[in-house]
């Protein structure tokens, strides 16, 4: 019995037989060639390991330098005037007020539209839809939209909201465009969150005679909320940083007022930063850096909220 | 065979169940008498859980599921009658293999089902009554607003039973309700089943033959999709007719 | 104790409400289809007017792009060349570094450092592209000019470098996932033969994770092509066919942005031309994304 087992596992020794016949070097030679090889292998290993570490450090270094230089250039301009003044031809008088307000308006409206659209679509697709032709069209569309460059969304917004619906270059047109832009991101994140809700919860509710919608509304959605919120926050951070689609809508204008209704024209933080950065004078570049600090500060808050939410939620999951 | 005095509450006639091409339940005819505890036993994959889930149409969620034959509840075919499936599930409750309390408070875990089904009575009173019936009241009465997930596994399962009772069902289906629990909690659940048999018809799938012997009046043995033998529990365990049943009970396989 | 009068059951109003909610949700899901169709409609509709005046072949194969001044030329190749010069240049830097980061985070980094590293790198992806544009013109271009004084104020190289930084997290995170998806049995097999760690990674793991790595490269390429603000700020507005990264070029996206920032009237050929360029851009990115999805699907379940 024991010998039989040994026989079946004796692969390598059998190969040695062929080497004894002279087709390969004998074991002594093989070992010495291993020894010569070992040094080369050790050096190769060392180089590759350092190269990989180097790649990571390069990325971290660039990030540090980027943040550091922006802070260095921009901080001196972050005075109270910067927050209360409107843009100006004179860098010393120029401020960020209309851009901050414009971004707030855009952000708030986009949040409402994008969450409504994105979460509803995700709930429909993940919880309620069957597997029909329309569903596969929807899936295909979402996959396609997720890869469309943001400037093309701007062209869509220009054609549909600005011209066809006659909204002009208004806050609402901008917000609707940004909502469509981040909708695929929210749908994908929300579906992931819904997917991670264990099926036993649904079964438990169905077994009590709940309908699909009752089950989703009262049990699945609440359980998925932290995950959905994380996705929404990250999507909003993206929307707040987008300039290209807004520039397509024609938002790159001198705006020396704060929007008072959704039909007013507007500017936004990334647009104003672009405006300043594209001028040749160095002082405007420093203003751009100050604007970037404000924008990044906002995004950092968003992202940390998402990270905290994710870690708390991750800890709670069974 | 079982001679049902009184009427049977659940019945299958020549039931075949398929998942896609695969036949998982073969030509099963079974009558479950009212207000009894019936155990379904058999090795894993024999179709007992599938059969159980047919009684409240939980198989509907499996795309490839289809069936032939009849499944009757109080004499009417549950797959063909015009009754709403949700109304029907209210009357046939279910307790799952793993405790699955909802992510909300203990009280809400119980009151949610009645509320969505338009219960008109006092919900607080209902919560207390169901928790008492499930022998959980004394342990949780001071923390009704705590999360259901904060309870121990055995308590969670009793909460799930309380949740099922709150719907005032006529039948309670139990799919290996103790398989994820420790012996102490298992004992508590078994005691509870004894209490409940006065008011409800209970159908329990179990792997544990001692448990089947302890809690049930009737036992059905299934093997490979076939219903091999169905009789008084005492008879199944002392002098089974079929050799296959005897082999399973003495532990030759499964 | 059987069913009693206390159960009102499901009312007609409740059923109506449920159906309405389902329809509303379905409509929201349908918006994504409408958006896709809307994009295609807008791009094609204006392009049709454009191609009524400019023959398609002149557009696709023309080597001169001068849409705003007489004599006008609508040969798109200089824009395509600008886009490719910038994005391929970006990939030259981003691919090895991104893959290196992925290997480091998946195989070498440990404990809290590994946990912290990924979110930090994701910050790079969260920085808006206009910030990278600022970084390119205020920091990278001056740096390039000290290295190589002939560098123009607007140049492809600095756009390439910032786009490389932008797409690093895309490459790193997808490669990281696909490296982690390679089962342990494969590595154990390699280690059992006496392989060193770097040999296991570069000769066993990476070839097995090739589909994910390729997909990440293509996705990064697609993102680089569609990038607008950094390219507009850094690379300039000189449409020309060149392989020299130190001179100004115009990318497809920066042309679209340039026209929309000016006062071009609706209905003119300049206005229509941005939709023709947009259509081309859309088709290019679509092809890239379909290709990467195809690669992932085709090779995804090999190791399960």
């Amino acid at each position: 019995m024991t010998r039989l087992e040994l026989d079946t596992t004796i692969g390598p020794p059998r190969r040695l037989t062929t080497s004894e016949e002279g087709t390969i070097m004998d074991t002594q030679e093989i070992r010495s060639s291993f020894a010569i090889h070992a040094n080369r292998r050790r050096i190769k290993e060392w180089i590759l390991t350092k190269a990989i570490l180097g790649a990571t450090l390069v990325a971290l270094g660039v990030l540090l330098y980027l943040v550091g230089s922006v802070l260095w250039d921009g901080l001196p301009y972050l005075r109270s005037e910067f927050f209360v003044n409107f843009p100006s031809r004179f860098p010393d008088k120029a401020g960020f007020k209309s851009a901050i307000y414009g971004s707030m308006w855009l952000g708030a409206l986009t949040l409402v539209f994008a969450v409504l659209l994105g979460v509803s679509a995700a709930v429909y697709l993940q919880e309620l839809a069957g597997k029909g032709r329309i569903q596969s069209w929807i899936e295909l569309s979402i996959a396609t939209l997720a890869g469309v460059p943001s400037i093309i969304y701007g062209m869509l917004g220009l054609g549909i909201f600005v011209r066809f619906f006659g909204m002009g270059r208004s806050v609402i047109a901008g917000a609707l465009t940004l909502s469509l832009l981040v909708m695929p991101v929210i749908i994908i994140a929300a579906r992931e969150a819904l997917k991670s809700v264990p099926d036993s919860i649904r079964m438990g509710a169905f077994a009590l005679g709940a309908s699909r919608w009752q089950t989703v509304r009262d049990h699945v959605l609440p359980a998925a909320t932290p995950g959905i919120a994380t996705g929404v926050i990250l999507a909003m951070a993206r929307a707040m940083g987008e300039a290209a689609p807004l520039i397509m809508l024609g938002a790159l204008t001198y705006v020396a007022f704060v929007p008072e209704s959704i039909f007013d024209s507007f500017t936004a933080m990334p647009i104003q930063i672009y405006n300043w950065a594209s001028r040749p004078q160095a002082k405007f570049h420093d203003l751009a850096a100050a604007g970037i600090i404000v924008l990044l500060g906002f995004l950092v808050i968003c992202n940390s909220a998402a990270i905290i939410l994710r870690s708390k939620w991750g800890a709670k999951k069974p | 065979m079982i001679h049902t005095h009184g009427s049977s509450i659940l019945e299958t006639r020549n039931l075949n169940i398929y998942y896609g091409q695969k036949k998982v339940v073969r030509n099963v005819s079974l009558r479950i008498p009212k207000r009894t505890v019936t155990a379904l036993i058999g090795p894993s994959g024999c179709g007992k859980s599938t059969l159980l889930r047919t009684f409240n149409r939980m198989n509907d969620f499996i795309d490839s599921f289809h069936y032939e034959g009849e499944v009757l509840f109080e004499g009417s075919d549950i797959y063909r009658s015009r009754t709403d499936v949700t109304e029907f599930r209210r009357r046939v409750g279910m307790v799952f293999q793993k405790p699955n309390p909802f992510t909300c408070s203990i009280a809400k875990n119980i009151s949610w089902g009645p509320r969505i089904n338009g219960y008109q009575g006092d919900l607080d009173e209902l919560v207390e009554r169901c928790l008492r019936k499930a022998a959980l009241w004394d342990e949780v009465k001071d923390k009704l607003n705590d999360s259901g997930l904060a309870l121990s596994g055995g308590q969670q399962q009793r909460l799930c039973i309380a949740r099922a009772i709150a719907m005032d069902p006529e039948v309670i289906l139990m799919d290996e309700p103790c398989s994820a629990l420790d012996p102490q909690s298992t004992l508590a659940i078994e005691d509870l089943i004894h209490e409940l048999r006065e008011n409800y018809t209970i159908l329990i799938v179990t792997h544990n033959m001692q448990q089947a012997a302890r809690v049930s009046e009737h036992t059905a043995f299934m093997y490979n999709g076939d219903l091999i033998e169905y009789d008084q529990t005492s008879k199944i365990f002392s002098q089974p007719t079929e050799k296959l049943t005897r082999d399973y009970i003495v532990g030759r396989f499964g | 104790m059987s069913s009693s009068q206390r159960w009102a059951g499901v009312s007609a109003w409740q059923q109506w409400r449920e159906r309405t909610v389902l329809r509303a949700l379905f409509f929201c899901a349908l918006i994504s289809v409408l958006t896709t169709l809307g994009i295609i409609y807008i791009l094609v509709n204006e392009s049709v007017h454009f191609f009524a005046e400019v023959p398609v072949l002149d557009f696709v194969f023309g080597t001169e792009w001068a849409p705003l001044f007489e004599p006008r030329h609508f040969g798109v190749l200089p824009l395509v060349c600008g886009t490719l010069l910038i994005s391929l240049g970006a990939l030259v830097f981003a691919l090895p570094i991104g893959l290196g980061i992925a290997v480091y985070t998946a195989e070498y980094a440990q404990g809290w450092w590994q946990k912290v590293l990924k979110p930090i790198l994701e910050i790079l992806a969260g920085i808006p592209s206009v910030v990278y544009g600022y970084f390119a013109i205020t920091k990278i271009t001056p740096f390039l000019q000290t290295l190589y004084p002939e560098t123009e104020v607007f140049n492809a190289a600095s756009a390439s470098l910032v786009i490389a930084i932008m797409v690093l997290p895309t490459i790193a995170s997808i490669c990281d996932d696909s490296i982690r998806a390679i089962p342990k049995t494969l590595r154990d097999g390699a280690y059992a033969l006496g392989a060193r760690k770097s040999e296991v990674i570069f000769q066993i793991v990476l070839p097995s994770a090739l589909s994910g790595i390729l997909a990440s490269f293509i996705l990064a390429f697609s993102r680089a092509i569609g990038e607008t603000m950094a390219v507009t700020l850094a690379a300039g507005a000189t449409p020309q066919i060149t392989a020299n990264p130190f001179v100004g070029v115009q990318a497809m996206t920066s042309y679209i942005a340039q026209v929309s920032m000016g006062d071009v009237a609706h209905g003119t050929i300049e206005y229509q031309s941005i939709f023709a360029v947009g259509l081309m851009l859309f088709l290019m990115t679509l092809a890239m994304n379909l290709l990467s999805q195809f690669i992932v699907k085709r090779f995804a379940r090999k190791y399960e």
Side-chain angles (χ1 to χ4, degrees), chain C residues 50 59 63-67 73-76 78-79 239 250 255 273 277:
Chain C
F50 176 78
F59 175 73
T63 55
E64 198 174 341
W65 183 259
H73 292 281
F74 290 99
V76 81
L79 298 184
Q250 187 164 41
Y255 172 70
S273 72
V277 174

Side-chain angles (χ1 to χ4, degrees), chain C residues 3-72:
Chain C
S3 187
S4 67
Q5 302 297 312
R6 283 180 308 201
W7 301 92
V10 182
S11 67
W13 154 245
Q14 251 178 320
Q15 283 180 349
W16 178 86
R17 205 174 52 178
E18 172 118 6
R19 270 202 305 274
T20 312
V21 168
L22 291 192
R23 268 186 215 137
L25 294 179
F26 171 69
F27 179 74
C28 289
L30 208 58
I31 296 259
S32 59
V33 177
L34 296 180
T35 307
T36 312
L37 294 178
I39 287 174
I40 294 169
Y41 171 77
I42 295 277
L43 293 178
V44 169
N45 187 39
E46 296 282 350
S47 298
V48 165
H49 293 299
F50 176 78
F51 288 122
E53 298 198 28
V54 180
V56 177
L57 289 181
D58 288 6
F59 175 73
V60 175
F61 294 110
T63 55
E64 198 174 341
W65 183 259
L68 305 178
F69 308 102
E70 298 291 346
R72 291 168 195 247

Side-chain angles (χ1 to χ4, degrees), chain C:
Chain C
M1 201 53 201
S2 69
S3 187
S4 67
Q5 302 297 312
R6 283 180 308 201
W7 301 92
V10 182
S11 67
W13 154 245
Q14 251 178 320
Q15 283 180 349
W16 178 86
R17 205 174 52 178
E18 172 118 6
R19 270 202 305 274
T20 312
V21 168
L22 291 192
R23 268 186 215 137
L25 294 179
F26 171 69
F27 179 74
C28 289
L30 208 58
I31 296 259
S32 59
V33 177
L34 296 180
T35 307
T36 312
L37 294 178
I39 287 174
I40 294 169
Y41 171 77
I42 295 277
L43 293 178
V44 169
N45 187 39
E46 296 282 350
S47 298
V48 165
H49 293 299
F50 176 78
F51 288 122
E53 298 198 28
V54 180
V56 177
L57 289 181
D58 288 6
F59 175 73
V60 175
F61 294 110
T63 55
E64 198 174 341
W65 183 259
L68 305 178
F69 308 102
E70 298 291 346
R72 291 168 195 247
H73 292 281
F74 290 99
V76 81
L77 282 185
L79 298 184
V80 174
C81 173
T83 294
L84 291 183
L85 180 64
I86 294 167
S87 35
L88 290 177
L91 291 188
V92 167
F93 292 98
L95 300 192
I97 298 180
L99 186 56
I101 293 173
V103 170
Y104 185 77
T105 54
E107 300 276 352
Y108 285 95
Q110 277 166 356
W112 67 273
W113 176 230
Q114 183 185 34
K115 271 189 196 147
V116 169
L117 201 54
K118 265 192 121 175
I120 289 180
L121 290 170
E122 274 166 26
I123 294 175
L124 283 173
I127 294 177
S129 76
V130 67
V131 177
Y132 282 107
Y134 160 85
F135 193 53
I137 51 172
T138 61
K139 301 289 178 291
I140 293 185
T141 298
F143 173 69
L144 289 175
Q145 280 170 330
T146 59
L147 284 186
Y148 179 68
E150 319 285 288
T151 308
E152 293 179 8
V153 175
F154 296 109
N155 62 83
S158 74
S160 290
L161 284 173
V162 285
I163 290 178
I165 304 168
M166 284 177 79
V167 299
L168 270 185
T170 308
I171 297 175
S173 99
I174 298 175
C175 289
D176 178 277
D177 289 345
S178 41
I179 289 171
R180 280 168 206 269
I182 303 302
K184 195 169 170 293
T185 49
L186 205 64
R187 292 157 211 262
D188 291 347
Y191 281 120
L193 293 173
R196 286 175 176 279
K197 186 167 185 174
S198 67
E199 290 162 344
V200 174
I201 294 168
F202 282 90
Q203 291 163 35
I204 305 295
V205 175
L206 289 190
S208 311
L210 195 64
S211 68
I213 294 170
L214 278 182
S216 82
F217 290 176
I218 295 167
L219 219 60
F221 189 39
S222 159
R223 277 198 58 195
I225 290 174
E227 170 45 39
T228 305
M229 300 317 293
V231 173
T232 310
L233 274 168
T238 325
Q240 58 173 320
I241 298 181
T242 174
N244 180 358
F246 298 103
V247 299
V249 293
Q250 187 164 41
M252 298 160 78
T253 48
S254 31
Y255 172 70
I256 298 173
Q258 182 202 2
V259 170
S260 69
M261 283 183 254
D263 278 326
V264 172
H266 177 230
T268 59
I269 186 137
E270 297 95 309
Y271 180 81
Q272 288 154 0
S273 72
I274 64 173
F275 289 89
V277 174
L279 180 61
M280 191 148 180
L281 181 67
F282 176 71
L283 293 178
M284 283 167 78
T285 52
L286 183 66
M288 296 290 161
N289 292 322
L290 291 181
L291 183 61
S292 84
Q293 277 172 34
F294 170 77
I295 290 177
V296 168
K297 271 198 192 126
R298 177 84 171 65
F299 302 102
R301 300 199 166 261
K302 221 159 78 176
Y303 290 104
E304 279 181 27

